Amino acid sequence: MRAFVFPGQGAQTVGMGRELAEAYPAARDVFEQVDEALDEKLSALIWDGDIETLTLTQNAQPALMATSMAAFRAMEAEGFNILDANFVAGHSLGEYSALCAAGALSLEDTARLLRLRGQAMQEAVPVGQGAMAAILGLDFETVDRIAREVAGDEVVQAANDNDPSQVVISGHREAVERAAEALKAAGAKRAMMLPVSAPFHSVLMQPAAAVMADALAGVDIQPPAVPLIANVRAEAVIEPGAIRRLLVEQVTGTVRWRESIANMAGAGVVEFWEIGAGKALSGMIRRITKEATVRNVGAPADIAALKG
């Protein structure tokens, strides 16, 4: 069995997807359709812009989705399709890419939703008031418990359960800094503040969740061709109403990536294809299930290797 997985924020690089667009008309069409949906040349920023502007949340989210979908369309041009997977999943914004690839969302709606999602998440908390930190070497339950113990009147919570050795915390900057120190004292190998502009996947994102609830209410969602393993439940979902609710919950909820991969492996998945920019998910997957085969699909050479 096989799963297609799609990366989240942090994987962006200037130039991503350019080789795909040059090699495959179907991939170029993706970037052109996203440009049209957003009424701007996002592709020019992706291929020739500066990394600081590309990394802005409102740009990175649709840009990473466009790159994933370009890779997926290139795969289709070589004879692969969504039914070659038994499940799809994506890390945070990657969940939208997964739904688009599975036919649940149109490409245009996905681009517009992610642009809005990025803007709403950035605007939910004033710059400088929120923070995130990666905690290495402690399990999720320990990190979550200690974070809540030191929160006081502020917010700090486990935001991403990435793999057995990496948990990301999110919340008010001072509370995140307190938690990072407490977690180091509790045995964490490292506690690294992350270069992000907002406290994603924390309850501080509630204003953004309200924006996304309104936006998603007006978007057509179809049953995906294969089940989605949803971030906040780490379980399979295909019913459009449930997908809509879970996409709203995802804004403030924990990304349960470790459980998602473990549950797919438990269901018989032995091969994971990371579709899009970077290889961050591949490293996490190998730490979660050492028996799995992991492939990256982000360039024409990767697709040629799939055929080989």
Side-chain angles (χ1 to χ4, degrees):
M1 293 178 68
R2 179 183 297 135
F4 292 165
V5 298
F6 297 82
Q9 212 159 323
Q12 65 275 1
T13 57
V14 173
M16 62 184 182
R18 189 200 301 266
E19 289 185 11
L20 289 164
E22 292 172 346
Y24 292 96
R28 178 170 287 278
D29 286 347
V30 168
F31 289 105
E32 291 176 352
Q33 289 172 50
V34 169
D35 286 351
E36 187 172 344
L38 299 180
D39 196 25
E40 70 174 73
K41 291 284 287 184
L42 184 65
S43 59
L45 173 62
I46 296 170
W47 296 334
D48 299 305
D50 62 273
I51 189 62
E52 291 78 13
T53 306
L54 180 60
T55 298
L56 293 174
T57 302
Q58 67 201 52
N59 294 327
Q61 295 200 22
L64 284 161
M65 181 279 297
T67 303
S68 285
M69 286 306 301
F72 186 72
R73 296 291 180 237
M75 287 169 49
E76 288 183 321
E78 295 290 2
F80 300 97
N81 65 66
I82 192 64
L83 297 181
D84 290 317
N86 302 92
F87 299 100
V88 293
H91 194 283
S92 190
L93 82 89
E95 191 156 88
Y96 285 78
S97 305
L99 287 165
C100 186
L105 289 169
S106 73
L107 179 63
E108 293 80 3
D109 282 342
T110 308
R112 287 188 286 262
L113 285 168
L114 286 173
R115 166 54 55 85
L116 180 63
R117 184 177 182 268
Q119 291 171 334
M121 292 173 86
Q122 184 60 67
E123 293 168 1
V125 177
V127 173
Q129 291 190 15
M132 300 179 77
I135 310 302
L136 305 184
L138 290 177
D139 62 78
F140 174 81
E141 289 74 17
T142 301
V143 171
D144 193 49
R145 174 179 56 79
I146 292 175
R148 293 179 187 279
E149 286 173 356
V150 304
D153 293 332
E154 294 182 307
V155 168
V156 58
Q157 65 190 84
N160 297 351
D161 183 8
N162 283 336
D163 65 45
S165 64
Q166 183 190 115
V167 180
V168 175
I169 57 174
S170 180
H172 289 110
R173 175 168 293 277
E174 293 80 4
V176 170
E177 291 171 346
R178 280 199 306 276
E181 291 304 313
L183 289 161
K184 283 193 285 188
K189 294 177 181 177
R190 295 184 71 186
M192 303 175 293
M193 301 298 288
L194 298 178
V196 297
S197 53
F200 305 130
H201 299 291
S202 76
V203 295
L204 299 178
M205 290 286 106
Q206 187 55 49
V211 169
M212 294 312 297
D214 288 343
L216 286 159
V219 169
D220 179 51
I221 300 178
Q222 294 293 315
V226 297
L228 170 80
I229 303 298
N231 281 185
V232 295
R233 297 284 174 84
E235 295 173 350
V237 58
I238 57 171
E239 198 276 312
I243 290 170
R244 202 183 308 272
R245 290 191 299 273
L246 293 172
L247 287 174
V248 175
E249 287 182 30
Q250 187 221 58
V251 178
T252 57
T254 300
V255 176
R256 295 167 61 181
W257 191 250
R258 174 181 58 85
E259 291 174 87
S260 295
I261 297 301
N263 287 348
M264 283 187 275
V269 172
V270 295
E271 196 169 295
F272 293 86
W273 293 10
E274 181 175 3
I275 301 172
K279 299 181 179 180
L281 298 185
S282 297
M284 295 177 195
I285 292 166
R286 289 187 179 100
R287 289 188 288 272
I288 297 164
T289 173
K290 293 179 171 56
E291 295 78 18
T293 298
V294 183
R295 294 177 173 233
N296 296 97
V297 188
D302 300 327
I303 298 170
L306 296 179
K307 294 170 64 181

